[in-house]
């Protein structure tokens, strides 16, 4: 049985950047629904006890009748579980060390990196996610539709991710996705991003 992970902070902790009502609905309703639907789909199959990151990398092995449900809801569970951890009210405001130097050699500087990542987030049509990954010794920005991910597509664990589904911002920002993205940078926990990056260069 997959379970909704607890947040490391209260629903109102990311105010004013991400409002409490959005956080509550996003976590306790949207994410919970992905978990419930995933559990419902794999109940009684051999995949019942397989970790979600493994399931979404072997979608082709699932019975066709549940494949799309697991893709969408397993993807949703995996993506949101990462996303919550990359935000914090006491966020470290910027990266340093190896990650910062890699950002500088790849994108010029931190601001240019943020601009490029934000542009990818604005450009993602409809619902989806934006990713920072480390692939073939290079930092890379990409995006995916729906609840797909770089893990699902290419077996790569994201270093940083951003949810650009309307449910992530509509209550506070309505159709103003760029404002949501700008605010979100204020709560990105660079400590966590550095840890995610360190795991990639070690592995
Ligand atoms: Mn979401």
């Amino acid at each position: 049985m997959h379970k909704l992970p607890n947040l490391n902070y209260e629903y109102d902790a990311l105010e004013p950047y991400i409002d409490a009502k959005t956080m509550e609905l996003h976590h306790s309703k949207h994410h919970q629904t992905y978990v419930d639907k995933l559990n419902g789909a794999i109940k009684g199959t051999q995949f019942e006890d397989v970790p979600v990151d493994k399931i979404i990398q072997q979608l082709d092995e699932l019975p066709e009748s549940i494949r799309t449900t697991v893709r969408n809801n397993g993807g949703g569970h995996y993506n949101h579980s990462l996303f919550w951890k990359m935000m914090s009210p006491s966020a470290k405001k910027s990266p340093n060390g190896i990650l910062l130097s890699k950002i500088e050699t790849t994108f010029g500087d931190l601001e240019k990196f943020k601009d490029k990542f934000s542009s990818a987030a604005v450009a993602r049509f409809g619902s989806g996610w934006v990713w920072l990954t480390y692939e073939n010794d290079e930092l890379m920005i990409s995006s995916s539709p729906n609840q797909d991910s770089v893990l699902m597509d290419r077996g790569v664990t994201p270093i940083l991710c951003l949810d650009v589904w309307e449910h992530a911002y509509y209550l506070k920002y309505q159709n103003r996705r760029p404002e949501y993205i700008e605010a979100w940078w204020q709560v990105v926990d660079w400590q966590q991003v550095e840890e995610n990056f360190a795991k990639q260069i070690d592995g």
Side-chain angles (χ1 to χ4, degrees):
M1 279 278 275
H2 295 276
K3 280 198 184 128
L4 182 69
N6 289 322
L7 300 183
N8 296 324
Y9 42 82
E10 301 297 323
Y11 287 136
D12 64 359
L14 306 180
E15 292 267 10
Y17 307 108
I18 315 285
D19 63 293
K21 193 72 197 165
T22 295
M23 285 301 297
E24 184 182 351
L25 287 169
H26 201 175
H27 178 255
S28 74
K29 304 291 185 201
H30 290 278
H31 191 169
Q32 182 70 61
T33 301
Y34 296 126
V35 171
D36 293 344
K37 288 190 172 169
L38 172 64
N39 283 330
I42 59 177
K43 196 171 192 279
T45 73
Q46 66 195 93
F47 298 94
E48 213 164 18
D49 296 312
V50 179
V52 68
D53 58 321
K54 298 285 185 288
I55 295 182
I56 63 172
Q57 289 185 80
Q58 52 187 61
L59 291 170
D60 289 347
E61 291 164 43
L62 291 165
E64 215 181 322
S65 58
I66 61 169
R67 200 175 294 157
T68 303
T69 307
V70 172
R71 182 188 193 103
N72 292 336
N73 294 282
H77 177 35
Y78 175 78
N79 295 346
H80 288 84
S81 298
L82 290 181
F83 184 54
W84 307 134
K85 285 201 267 180
M86 291 181 196
M87 299 187 287
S88 165
S90 51
K92 185 182 179 202
K93 294 297 175 201
S94 58
N96 47 28
I98 309 174
L99 178 56
L100 180 61
S101 47
K102 196 73 195 173
I103 285 173
E104 288 171 346
T105 50
T106 310
F107 302 102
D109 59 37
L110 183 62
E111 283 315 304
K112 286 191 183 118
F113 158 68
K114 286 185 179 178
D115 286 349
K116 199 170 175 201
F117 191 96
S118 297
S119 298
V122 171
R124 166 48 56 193
F125 181 76
S127 298
W129 290 78
V130 185
W131 315 99
L132 175 65
T133 52
Y134 190 61
E135 298 174 56
N136 307 314
D137 301 329
E138 292 297 338
L139 289 174
M140 242 183 81
I141 295 168
S142 59
S143 73
S144 314
N146 306 316
Q147 295 296 352
D148 290 359
S149 66
V150 286
L151 184 71
M152 197 183 274
D153 295 342
R154 326 196 269 278
V156 177
T157 304
I159 296 170
L160 176 66
C161 64
L162 172 60
D163 186 348
V164 294
W165 281 57
E166 280 189 346
H167 68 221
Y169 61 87
Y170 201 85
L171 285 183
K172 184 176 170 80
Y173 297 100
Q174 289 83 49
N175 61 330
R176 303 187 302 278
R177 187 189 286 185
E179 275 183 44
Y180 155 69
I181 297 164
E182 203 53 43
W184 170 77
W185 284 116
Q186 301 297 317
V187 295
V188 170
D189 187 357
W190 284 99
Q191 178 78 44
Q192 182 66 50
V193 182
E194 284 177 0
E195 283 170 24
N196 296 342
F197 178 63
K199 277 186 212 152
Q200 305 269 315
I201 50 179
D202 291 347

